[in-house]
Amino acid sequence: MSTESVTMTASTAVRAATLAASIALLIVAHVNPAAAGDMGLSAPPTQHIHVAASDLKSRAVTLGVSKSVVIDLPRDIKDVLVADPTIANAVVRSSRRAYIIGIKVGQTNVFFFDANGRQIAGFDIAVTRDLNGIEQAIREVIPDSDITVRGIDEGVILSGTVANQAESQQAYDIAVRLLGAASSATAAAGDKIVNAIVVRGGDQVMLKVTVAEVERDLVKQLGINLSGSLGYGTAVVNFNNTNPFSAYGESLSGSSISGGWQNISAVLQAMEQAGVIHTLAEPSLTAISGEEATFYAGGQFPVLNGYSCSSTSSTPGAPVTCQPSISFKKFGVGLNFTPVVLSGGRISLTVKTDVSDLSTQNALTITQPGTTQTATIPSIRERSASTTVEIPSGGSLAMAGMIQNTTRHNINGFPGLMELPVLGPLFKSNDFVNQRTELMILVTPYVVRAVAEKDLSRPDDGFADPSDPAQVLLGNLNRIYGVGGKSDPPPDTYHGNYGFILD
C-alpha cells in the first residue's frame, strides 16, 4: 500500500469520527440542555419581541361622519395600517401627505410606517356625529353662553356655562331636536344627551303663598210629628208619624215643643243654624332656580281599616279577640312649586296647591264585631289647583274663582196628607241645607339673595318671662323689652288719653 493511500484513509477516519461526535453532542443538547452546557456548548440567544407600533403615543383625532383631516408627516410613507376601514379610511396622496376620512360612528386607529418599517406616527380616530350644526345653533339662540358640544360614539355631551337654568334647558332642547331630526328618533335622542352645563351663580326664588278659604253653612229644619188614636165605636186607628230630616242627616237639636188635643199629641221640631269658617295659611319657601320645593302644614288622623279577629282557643264557642287595624291619612295645606329664572328677571313658575280638611259628610261608621261599639271615620274634603305661568319678580298670581255651592232640600211626610193645602205641614218635615265655599290662592315669587343673620328677626325677639310679683299680683304672662335694634321712646313723649276703659 502506498503512502498516499494511507494518508487518505486516515483523513477519512478523522472526518467520520468528528461527524459522529457532532451528532452525539446535538442529541445530548436536545435531550438535556443542562448537560450540553456542562460539555461546553452554549444555548441559542433569546429573541426579544419588539412592538413596532401602538396607540400609547398616538394622537387623538375626532372626526365627523363624512369629514376628513389632512396630515403632513416628517418622513416618506411606505406603509399604512388602518384597524377598521369601515369606520375610517386613510388615503396617501403624496410621499408625506395623507388624508383620513370618517365613514361611520365608531373608533379605530391608523399607523404610518417608513421604508425601514419604523413607525412615523399613530392616530387614535374617533368618528362621531357632525355636531357643528348643533353647536352653531346653540350659539345663535343663546349668544351669551359658552357651550361646547362633544360626541362620544352615539352619545353627546353638553358642557360649559350659562347664565340661568332656562338657558341650560333651552340648549338641551335644541340638541334633542336637532339630534332627533338627524336620527328620526327624538325620544331616543334625549337618552343619548348628557347635560353637563353649569349655571353661573344659581338664582334663588322665594315664593310667598296666601291660601284663604271662607265657608258658610246654613241649615233650616222644620217638622211636626203626630201620634195618637182615633176611634168610632169599636173601630180604633192608632197612628205615629215621625218625619226624619234626611238632607242634613239628623236633627240639629233634641229640643221640641209638644202639645195635644184629646187623643192626639204633636211634637214641633224647628231649628236654624248658620256658621262661617275662615281658613288662612301663608307659607313661604325658597328654592334654587330649576329645583323643586315642597311645603306641608297640617296633621294626620287615624283611620280604622277594619278588625282582625281570632279565637283564643280551638274549642267551639271560645271567645274571639278582635284587634283594630289603623292607618293615618294627611290633611292640611300642601304647596309644591318649581321656579325657573328667565332672562330679564322673569320667572317661569309651576305651582301645585292642595288644601284638605276633615268633614263629617259621607262619614263611615264601623261596628266592632261581637260588640255594640262603633267607630266613625271622617271623610276628607280636598281642594287643589295646579298651573304654570310666567311672571316678573314681585308680581302676584291669583288663582281664584274656586267656588263650591251645594244646596240640599228634602221634604219627608205622610203620603197624601202632606199634600193638603193648609193641614199639609202637620204631616211633613222640611229640611234645607246650603253650603257655600270659596277658595283663593295668591302666589308671589321673588328673586332673592342671601342675607346676614343680624338683619333677620324672630317671633320671640324681645320676649322675656315676667317676674314673680308681676305674674302673681298683676297677672302678666310676659315682659317685653322692645324690638331689637330700636331704642325705647322717652317716657315723657307719650300723648293721648289715659285712665281705665270699662266695657
Side-chain angles (χ1 to χ4, degrees), residues 126-141:
V127 181
T128 62
R129 299 175 182 270
D130 186 10
L131 304 176
N132 293 332
I134 298 178
E135 188 169 355
Q136 182 66 25
I138 293 176
R139 289 179 179 177
E140 291 179 359
V141 176

Side-chain angles (χ1 to χ4, degrees), residues 55 80 87 98 186 225 311 424:
D55 58 355
V80 180
I87 295 177
T186 305
N225 300 327
S311 177

